[in-house]
Amino acid sequence: MGKFIINGGQHLQGEVQISGAKNAVLPILAGTVLAEGECTIGRVPHLRDVKVMQEVLTTLGAKVKEEEDKLIIDNKGLSSYEIPESLMRKMRATVFLMGPLVARFGQFKISQPGGCSIGTRPIDLHLKGLRALGVEFKQGHGFLEGKAKKLTGAEIHLDFPSVGATENIMMAATRAEGKTLIYNAAREPEIVDLQNFLNQLGANVRGAGTDVIKIKGVKKLHPVEYQVIPDRIEAGTFLVAAAITRGDVLVKDVIPEHIEAVIAKLTEAGINLKVDGDQIRVIGQDNWKGVNVKTLPYPGFATDMQAQFMTFLSIAKGTSVITETIFENRLKHADELRRMGAEVKIEGNSAIITGVEKLSGTTVEATDLRAGAALVLAGLASEGKTQVENIYHIDRGYEFLTEKLSDLGANISRKE
C-alpha cells in the first residue's frame, strides 16, 4: 500500500483548481445506464472510485472511453444486470446502479456494498423507496436481487434525508408510470446536479434542492453531454489547508454557496476569506480561536468536512466541540491526531478538542477517506516528518492531491 511523506512547516501559497465532484459524478455515471446510446460526461476526476465505476459499467456491457477529463460511455450494448461481488466490495457507490438497472431491465442483482468503515450505512431506505415503486426483493447467499414487472409512481416518505436513497429513487422513478413524490428528500448540491443531468436525458424531475422532489415518469431517455459540478469537499479541504498552514491561497472553480457552512465556521474562527465569483482567497492568520461544529444534512455542516476541521481546531486557541450526528463511527481519526500531540477527548458522538501550540510529525494511518485528508492537513501543519499510511482511502476522493499541494509549496511525496 502507498503512503505520503510530508515535511511540515511550509506556508501554502498560490492557486489551486478544484476538480469535478466525486459525490456527483458517481450517481451520474450510474445514471447513464438509463439512456441507450453514448453519453459524454465532462469534468470527471481521476479517482479510484471512478475507476471502479468504469469497471462496473464495462462488466455490465458498456463501452467506456477516456479523453482527458471526459468519459464517453456507450450503453447501447448493455447486456447484464448483475454486479460482481468483487466490485461491490471495492466501493459502496455501486448501490446507485439499483435504480437505473431496475428501470432499464426490470431487475438487478448485487452483493452487500463496501466503502469506508465509518459506521453502519444500511441501504434500507433505498429498498423502501424502490419497493414503493413496485420492486420485489429476494436475499440469499450474500446477494440481493430486485425485480419489478412494472415500475409505478408512488409517494415515498424518507425517515432520514439520505443522499443515496434519494438519488436511487429519483433514477428509478424517471421510467416509472405516473408521478413519484419523495418527501424529506436530501437537499445536497449533488442531488441538484443529478436532477439537471436526468432532465437533460429527457426526464421530468423537479424540486431538487428542496425536501420534496417530484418525478413524472417518461417512456424513453436519450444520451447527452454533461459536465459535473466542482467538488465542494475538495474545495473545503483546500480552504482548511491554506488556513492551517497560515498560507495565502486562491481556490478556483468553486461554488461558494455549496460550502457556506465551512466558510462561516472558518470566518468565525478568525480566518480571512475573500469570495469573488467562483474563487475564494484564504489569507491565513497566526492565531485562530476554537469554534463548535455540529454535522448536519445539507445545508448544515457536512460530515465529510468534520475530520479536516478537527485537525484545524486541534491547534486553535481554546476549546472546541465537534458533534457528529450523521455517522456513529466517524471519529476514529482522533486517535491518530493524538499521536501527533493533539488533545482530543471523545464522549459519545462528540469530540472535545483543547487547542495545542503545535503538532509533531509521526507515522499515522488513514482509517477512511476524510480521516486521511485530515491527517495530510495535520502533516502539513506539524513540525518534522509525517508518514500517512493506507492512502488508498485518500485516492478514492482527491484527484492529484500530491501534485496540487506541491504546486502550493508543500513538501509532500508519495511512496508506493
Side-chain angles (χ1 to χ4, degrees):
M1 291 183 187
K3 55 190 173 185
F4 289 145
I5 310 295
I6 306 164
N7 289 294
Q10 279 71 34
H11 303 292
L12 299 188
Q13 307 273 343
E15 300 179 355
V16 63
Q17 191 89 19
I18 297 305
S19 303
K22 165 190 177 284
N23 291 336
V25 74
L26 295 174
I28 285 172
L29 291 176
T32 62
V33 167
L34 293 163
E36 292 188 36
E38 193 174 88
C39 285
T40 300
I41 310 300
R43 201 193 271 134
V44 176
H46 295 80
L47 301 174
R48 183 170 168 264
D49 277 9
V50 172
K51 290 289 183 189
V52 175
M53 187 61 86
Q54 287 178 243
E55 283 184 66
V56 172
L57 291 171
T58 302
T59 301
L60 295 174
K63 293 177 181 175
V64 183
K65 187 167 66 174
E66 288 185 60
E67 285 185 4
E68 295 180 354
D69 69 342
K70 291 181 181 178
L71 283 183
I72 300 161
I73 302 150
D74 186 350
N75 280 316
K76 197 179 295 178
L78 217 63
S79 54
S80 175
Y81 53 83
E82 182 175 338
I83 303 173
E85 183 181 7
S86 59
L87 293 176
M88 287 295 300
R89 286 186 178 278
K90 284 184 180 180
M91 182 181 68
R92 180 180 173 79
T94 40
V95 298
F96 289 131
L97 281 150
M98 292 192 297
L101 286 173
V102 80
R104 178 150 175 182
F105 293 109
Q107 57 189 323
F108 63 82
K109 185 177 180 181
I110 65 169
S111 66
Q112 287 300 318
C116 285
S117 301
I118 56 176
T120 55
R121 305 171 79 187
I123 58 171
D124 56 330
L125 294 179
H126 298 246
L127 305 187
K128 173 184 175 179
L130 294 175
R131 191 176 285 116
L133 296 175
V135 181
E136 294 181 353
F137 296 99
K138 185 171 77 173
Q139 287 182 299
H141 305 292
F143 280 90
L144 173 70
E145 292 185 71
K147 289 187 179 182
K149 290 179 183 175
K150 184 176 80 168
L151 292 173
T152 307
E155 290 192 10
I156 299 164
H157 297 257
L158 294 178
D159 300 327
F160 177 83
S162 161
V163 174
T166 300
E167 293 173 330
N168 238 330
I169 296 163
M170 284 169 68
M171 289 189 277
T174 59
R175 298 284 291 271
E177 189 176 289
K179 186 165 75 171
T180 298
L181 290 168
I182 307 172
Y183 293 100
N184 197 27
R187 299 167 57 188
E188 274 74 0
E190 294 79 12
I191 304 282
V192 178
D193 207 31
L194 180 61
Q195 172 184 274
N196 293 340
F197 169 70
L198 293 173
N199 285 342
Q200 283 201 27
L201 292 180
N204 188 336
V205 186
R206 300 290 181 270
T210 75
D211 59 0
V212 181
I213 297 177
K214 308 173 185 72
I215 306 114
K216 287 184 182 176
V218 297
K219 293 194 174 175
K220 195 170 181 183
L221 297 169
H222 54 78
V224 295
E225 288 193 20
Y226 190 78
Q227 183 145 298
V228 176
I229 58 171
D231 195 310
R232 62 193 172 100
I233 305 302
E234 185 195 14
T237 301
F238 273 99
L239 294 184
V240 175
I244 203 170
T245 61
R246 301 168 173 85
D248 186 347
V249 175
L250 185 66
V251 182
K252 302 176 73 173
D253 201 5
V254 59
I255 302 175
E257 294 79 11
H258 291 176
I259 51 172
E260 282 180 346
V262 173
I263 292 170
K265 284 298 172 184
L266 284 171
T267 302
E268 185 184 338
I271 301 301
N272 187 358
L273 292 96
K274 295 179 179 178
V275 179
D276 182 14
D278 65 351
Q279 301 182 148
I280 303 174
R281 185 181 176 190
V282 186
I283 304 170
Q285 314 297 305
D286 282 336
N287 297 299
W288 56 91
K289 63 180 181 179
V291 295
N292 295 335
V293 173
K294 184 177 183 179
T295 64
L296 290 166
Y298 188 85
F301 193 94
T303 181
D304 278 357
M305 281 300 304
Q306 175 261 109
Q308 300 90 309
F309 244 73
M310 187 182 290
T311 299
F312 173 69
L313 295 174
S314 69
I315 50 176
K317 297 292 182 186
T319 300
S320 307
V321 178
I322 292 178
T323 305
E324 174 59 59
T325 72
I326 309 297
F327 295 117
E328 75 279 7
N329 244 3
R330 209 170 200 179
L331 297 170
K332 290 180 180 178
H333 42 278
D335 290 336
E336 301 301 296
L337 287 173
R338 278 195 287 262
R339 290 169 52 78
M340 301 182 73
E343 289 188 19
V344 185
K345 183 182 177 185
I346 303 299
E347 291 186 358
N349 67 335
S350 293
I352 300 155
I353 305 148
T354 304
V356 296
E357 192 174 323
K358 62 185 178 184
L359 298 174
S360 299
T362 187
T363 299
V364 289
E365 184 177 328
T367 54
D368 64 67
L369 166 56
R370 305 306 173 184
L375 296 175
V376 169
L377 296 182
L380 294 173
S382 69
E383 279 190 354
K385 185 169 81 170
T386 299
Q387 187 167 291
V388 182
E389 300 184 336
N390 273 7
I391 62 170
Y392 72 92
H393 284 300
I394 303 170
D395 291 340
R396 291 184 49 239
Y398 291 92
E399 180 183 45
F400 307 137
L401 183 61
T402 50
E403 292 86 344
K404 287 183 178 184
L405 287 171
S406 294
D407 286 347
L408 293 174
N411 187 334
I412 181 171
S413 60
R414 182 188 185 108
K415 189 175 180 184
E416 296 298 339

